[in-house]
Amino acid sequence: MAVTTKVFTLSTQGNNDVVDLTPMVGAAVDAAGVTAGTCTVFVPHTTVGVTALEFEPGANRDLGEVVERLVPQAAPYHHNVMDSNGHAHARAAIMGPSVSVPVLDGRLALGTWQSVVLVDFDDRPRERTVYVQVQG
Ligand code: ZN
């Protein structure tokens, strides 16, 4: 079994910014040349989540509004005695830092409307790293 890892960097706006990772993940799968296997997308950050979503403006905005209802930015957080982004850490922990997608016939087995997205919950623009590891 071969393992191929690609590292990407990107800029985000923070504040629930949703970034479509599908093109870069698909390119990593193409480059790996794997017919059948697994692709893992992981972010090494504590205020970013990765999930699957229909990437369109309404759904992206809905997600931001849902996380605001679940984990309000203005609520009190113990972390905020040393920082200003307690809400972002909690949101990221709930969403999780990775997704795995099967690779079938050399392609990501995503549904028609499914995209792999990064959501940056931090309260300011950031530079982010994304690991895409393909095994097969
Ligand atoms: Zn913090």
Side-chain angles (χ1 to χ4, degrees):
M1 181 181 70
V3 179
T4 305
T5 305
K6 296 276 189 191
V7 183
F8 298 93
T9 57
L10 53 88
S11 300
T12 77
Q13 294 305 305
N15 298 302
N16 306 327
D17 189 14
V18 181
V19 179
D20 186 5
L21 301 179
T22 311
M24 69 176 65
V25 176
V29 170
D30 289 345
V34 167
T35 302
T38 304
C39 177
T40 301
V41 181
F42 177 83
V43 287
H45 304 289
T46 60
T47 54
V48 175
V50 175
T51 190
L53 183 70
E54 179 172 349
F55 185 79
E56 65 86 19
N60 297 351
R61 190 172 168 188
D62 287 338
L63 180 62
E65 291 175 1
V66 166
V67 297
E68 174 60 26
R69 288 196 290 272
L70 292 172
V71 187
Q73 184 171 358
Y77 298 95
H78 300 290
H79 180 70
N80 286 356
V81 300
M82 57 174 274
D83 206 346
S84 59
N85 59 359
H87 67 290
H89 292 291
R91 291 174 185 184
I94 290 169
M95 181 170 285
S98 70
V99 295
S100 290
V101 182
V103 177
L104 301 175
D105 297 326
R107 316 185 97 193
L108 291 166
L110 292 169
T112 303
W113 303 110
Q114 238 177 351
S115 291
V116 176
V117 300
L118 173 157
V119 187
D120 198 323
F121 300 111
D122 216 338
D123 57 1
R124 56 194 180 275
R126 301 292 302 264
E127 296 294 314
R128 300 304 195 179
T129 298
V130 179
Y131 293 112
V132 181
Q133 190 166 72
V134 182
Q135 302 178 69

